[in-house]
Amino acid sequence: MKNEEVAAIFESIAQLLEIKGEVIYKTLSYHRAAESIRALGRDLNDVRQEEGLQSIPGVGAAIAAKIEELLDTGSLDFYNRLLEEVPAGLLDVIAVRDVGAKSAARFWKELGVTNLDELEQAAGAGRIRAMPGMGERTETRLLENIAEHRRLATGRMLLDEADRAAQEVLAFVREIPGVEHADIAGSLRRRRETIGDLDIVASAEDPAAALQVFIQSPKILKVLSSGESKASVILPTGIRAQLWIYPIREFGSALQYTTGSQAHNVRLRELAQKQGLSLSEHGYKREDGSILSCASEEEVYRAVGLDWIPPELREDRGEFTQKLPVLISVEDLRADLHMHTTWSDGRNSLEEMADAALKAGLRVLAVTDHSRSLGVAGGLSIEQWGAQHAEVERLQVKLQGRLRILHGAEVEILPDGSLDFPGDVLARMDVVIASLHAGMHQPGDAATARILTALENPWIDILAHPTGRLLGRREGMQLDMEAIFRSAAQQRIALEINAHPERLDLNDILARRAVELGCLLAVNSDAHSQDQFSHLRYGTSVARRGWVTPAVVVNTWPDAELLTWLGRKHG
DNA sequence: GCCGTTTTCGGCCCGACTGTTTTCAGTCG
């Protein structure tokens, strides 16, 4: 059984227990265990054999025993019995906004509702408003929220879309009279790979007045809620956004609070509590009732004896207990080792791409069009690659050393694990990227074997978008990443963090694990047009979330070092 | 159910907003 399946079961257990009315801390334990398992980056079976399951944060004796039962039998008696007690359809009910475990339990016990359809029928028939403590408005809003839930079932944005939408809101907020600072917060500031809604935090002399201007603007489609300090709205694009406004002296604690993650904030507040401090978005309250306001985030962390923690690390994945790394930044990237031109499926010519790379601040660019078997993407024949090589040489002369161009290819890994070009062609390349675009539906062990065979090929430098996932569209292959990382580390092959916002592959968790196992990484744009070098910042944010330092990322290295690494194979 | 630079038992983050009530529970982030 896969980690993700185990985590999903614990998540369901947490919710079912909450509906059942179990003490909240027990449900929290299952929730935390699920999060820890998701962040593990390695197979539960390995952890069980090596350090033991209880080495996982939030996993004690009881949950460890349940994990073992799941791993051994593929099923969990405790969970099965829970499902007989509480209708599984209620899990969909509590996924609706403003419906939590308490309400779901009441709908179930008082109206016999066991799933979302039945809840919608009950609301439509006016049976909600008849319940004690519920009214007409509750019922109307419930119907709206159910409709919204059905519309947005897929509902998360990719990073680039979220960035664009957030910048628009931010610009608008900054123009509201009386607003001093405004910043992006929430999961977008933490650079999560997909974004549910936008969080903006601002400071103003008179927060309530500024909020009024915000919610009355024609740029807002609908106001979901609004008060003295926060408003939740829907933008004309259908995207949900929240704006918090605080006095300037509280801006630091407000930014820290609204950035999250929730798990990180809970840990930080627990830490504060042990020092006799109560932390909220307004600052610290001491035991004598006095207030310590924080205008900057640094002050928030310093007050409890911590260094400022970069937002990308705020996921309760060790940032309070482990030494913080010096994270990679996008300015560290000197080279881009994966891109395409009109020779295969790119939209711009080689020269246009080179110009764009220069404008993006790059010093080294690897030209890596597809290989011959990828017909749909205009893969190059051996002869075409040779012709392209002549063009690369001409362009290199023309560029007069302003940009160093390496010539390689993104070479298909064929079904038997061999590469799409023979060794004598690969030997002529400056850089060889191996990747897989076809036959991704084969079982995980077969796909793993195929990649492991490919990694034995003496010419490979980089394994591109290793899992093949497409966010929101396709799950990655179920590979044995541990085996792939070990092989790549041994061969000094770099694993790619593909920076396309739809790929981000490796993800943060896998990137962190790869580095732990001694792998090199490459953050590449995979640009198919001249505007896509800007994607490098998305790849960088994945690396940052994976605790990655520049030292292990080959395209941050000085030319000499990079060429030495490439030259180990290509002479 | 987990966990320990005050604890192996007794704790477990904190406040804003809503809707329905007259003081609060539920939900959310």
Side-chain angles (χ1 to χ4, degrees):
Chain A
M1 179 170 271
K2 298 280 172 208
N3 291 15
E4 180 50 42
E5 298 172 75
V6 175
I9 286 173
F10 286 146
E11 206 73 68
S12 296
I13 288 174
Q15 293 177 322
L16 292 168
L17 286 175
E18 207 178 339
I19 293 169
K20 198 181 148 190
E22 186 57 85
V23 287
I24 196 71
Y25 300 111
K26 190 184 278 196
T27 70
L28 180 65
S29 294
Y30 281 101
H31 188 71
R32 278 184 167 172
E35 280 303 306
S36 269
I37 291 167
R38 288 207 171 96
L40 210 49
R42 43 193 294 228
D43 197 281
L44 276 168
N45 288 295
D46 296 343
V47 178
R48 179 186 184 181
Q49 285 198 348
E50 288 159 30
E51 305 96 310
L53 293 170
Q54 291 193 51
S55 69
I56 302 169
V59 174
I63 290 183
K66 291 184 173 72
I67 297 175
E68 291 186 352
E69 187 180 337
L70 280 167
L71 293 178
D72 290 338
T73 70
S75 147
L76 179 60
D77 189 49
F78 175 77
Y79 179 50
N80 295 336
R81 280 186 282 122
L82 200 52
L83 284 173
E84 284 173 19
E85 271 185 83
V86 185
L90 294 179
L91 296 177
D92 297 328
V93 169
I94 60 171
V96 174
R97 180 203 313 285
D98 294 339
V99 181
K102 294 272 168 43
S103 305
R106 287 196 61 195
F107 297 147
W108 171 36
K109 287 175 181 157
E110 296 174 31
L111 302 178
V113 163
T114 64
N115 60 45
L116 196 53
D117 286 338
E118 290 172 8
L119 178 60
E120 190 166 32
Q121 284 162 21
R127 294 172 64 203
I128 304 298
R129 70 178 81 179
M131 294 169 71
M134 306 265 177
E136 211 177 316
R137 302 179 70 149
T138 305
E139 190 175 83
T140 307
R141 182 167 276 225
L142 177 60
L143 281 167
E144 286 173 9
N145 288 345
I146 292 173
E148 179 203 57
H149 175 78
R150 293 229 156 94
R151 268 200 317 277
L152 300 179
T154 56
R156 293 186 70 87
M157 288 171 275
L158 298 179
L159 260 182
D160 56 340
E161 183 190 356
D163 262 347
R164 283 193 296 273
Q167 288 302 334
E168 239 174 79
V169 180
L170 191 59
F172 158 48
V173 169
R174 284 178 172 154
E175 282 175 11
I176 295 175
V179 166
E180 295 154 334
H181 293 312
D183 266 315
I184 290 166
S187 56
L188 185 56
R189 179 160 182 249
R190 302 198 313 279
R191 310 306 284 169
R192 269 192 60 174
E193 62 191 25
T194 58
I195 304 297
D197 51 31
L198 306 177
D199 297 294
I200 310 285
V201 58
S203 69
E205 282 279 321
D206 185 348
L211 267 176
Q212 281 305 309
V213 176
F214 179 71
I215 62 174
Q216 284 164 14
S217 159
K219 297 187 177 188
I220 304 301
L221 183 67
K222 187 177 176 200
V223 178
L224 295 172
S225 72
S226 72
E228 296 280 299
S229 64
K230 74 173 267 200
S232 181
V233 305
I234 301 203
L235 304 172
T237 47
I239 296 170
R240 203 160 76 98
Q242 298 180 92
L243 175 65
W244 283 267
I245 308 187
Y246 292 85
I248 184 75
R249 67 179 181 283
E250 297 179 2
F251 188 71
S253 47
L255 179 60
Q256 194 286 321
Y257 157 72
T258 53
T259 297
S261 67
Q262 185 143 8
H264 174 91
N265 285 356
V266 169
R267 290 290 184 206
L268 185 60
R269 288 167 181 207
E270 286 173 355
L271 203 65
Q273 215 179 31
K274 285 180 188 148
Q275 302 180 26
L277 294 167
S278 169
L279 174 63
S280 77
E281 53 268 48
H282 303 295
Y284 288 100
K285 191 187 286 178
R286 301 188 187 88
E287 278 168 344
D288 63 8
S290 63
I291 302 290
L292 172 64
S293 296
C294 299
S296 75
E297 276 193 329
E298 284 79 0
E299 294 168 56
V300 177
Y301 288 98
R302 199 183 307 134
V304 289
L306 295 171
D307 288 334
W308 180 80
I309 298 175
E312 295 92 335
L313 301 187
R314 300 182 194 173
E315 299 289 348
D316 189 25
R317 293 179 185 166
E319 67 272 23
F320 293 114
T321 53
Q322 299 173 33
K323 187 178 186 318
L324 298 181
V326 178
L327 294 177
I328 187 173
S329 70
V330 72
E331 293 79 19
D332 292 327
L333 296 179
R334 306 181 70 260
D336 188 349
L337 302 176
H338 183 177
M339 50 74 79
H340 299 272
T341 73
T342 45
W343 280 82
S344 65
D345 61 347
R347 287 212 302 268
N348 292 99
S349 70
L350 179 47
E351 187 162 0
E352 287 166 342
M353 292 300 277
D355 284 342
L358 265 174
K359 289 199 181 94
L362 294 168
R363 302 300 312 278
V364 178
L365 181 67
V367 177
T368 55
D369 278 305
H370 293 287
S371 65
R372 54 190 178 181
S373 79
L374 200 61
V376 289
L380 271 56
S381 67
I382 293 172
E383 294 69 29
Q384 287 172 315
W385 187 85
Q388 188 183 42
H389 191 68
E391 184 180 334
V392 167
E393 288 187 329
R394 283 195 299 275
L395 183 59
Q396 184 67 84
V397 171
K398 189 169 170 187
L399 287 168
Q400 296 179 332
R402 287 179 296 143
L403 179 72
R404 179 163 208 142
I405 303 198
L406 303 175
H407 190 208
E410 180 179 13
V411 186
E412 284 302 295
I413 299 173
L414 300 175
D416 65 355
S418 66
L419 293 193
D420 196 16
F421 283 139
D424 62 313
V425 177
L426 299 175
R428 292 162 57 199
M429 297 185 177
D430 299 320
V431 51
V432 173
I433 299 177
S435 72
L436 197 153
H437 295 86
M440 302 183 66
H441 292 296
Q442 67 189 137
D445 49 354
T448 300
R450 181 176 171 190
I451 291 176
L452 288 176
T453 301
L455 293 180
E456 298 285 331
N457 183 294
W459 303 109
I460 295 183
D461 300 300
I462 296 172
L463 180 66
H465 43 75
T467 77
R469 69 138 175 210
L470 295 176
L471 284 165
R473 290 207 288 144
R474 180 172 79 201
E475 282 194 8
M477 295 176 284
Q478 298 294 315
L479 303 168
D480 180 351
M481 297 308 289
E482 203 81 350
I484 290 169
F485 291 161
R486 287 185 199 284
S487 172
Q490 198 180 2
Q491 324 266 3
R492 299 252 302 153
I493 292 170
L495 279 304
E496 181 177 77
I497 294 176
N498 188 290
H500 193 288
E502 196 178 35
R503 288 194 182 269
L504 302 181
D505 177 14
L506 302 175
N507 68 17
D508 50 357
I509 290 165
L510 289 173
R512 189 173 178 182
R513 181 60 184 160
V515 172
E516 276 174 8
L517 289 178
C519 291
L520 297 172
L521 301 176
V523 178
N524 292 327
S525 73
D526 197 359
H528 282 68
S529 62
Q530 55 192 0
D531 57 313
Q532 289 182 351
F533 290 110
S534 65
H535 287 166
L536 284 170
R537 62 199 171 109
Y538 303 120
T540 308
S541 62
V542 171
R544 290 171 63 85
R545 289 178 57 84
W547 292 55
V548 172
T549 62
V552 296
V553 177
V554 297
N555 47 330
T556 68
W557 293 353
D559 286 11
E561 207 174 324
L562 176 64
L563 294 172
T564 302
W565 171 68
L566 290 170
R568 83 205 185 284
K569 292 187 172 179
H570 302 278

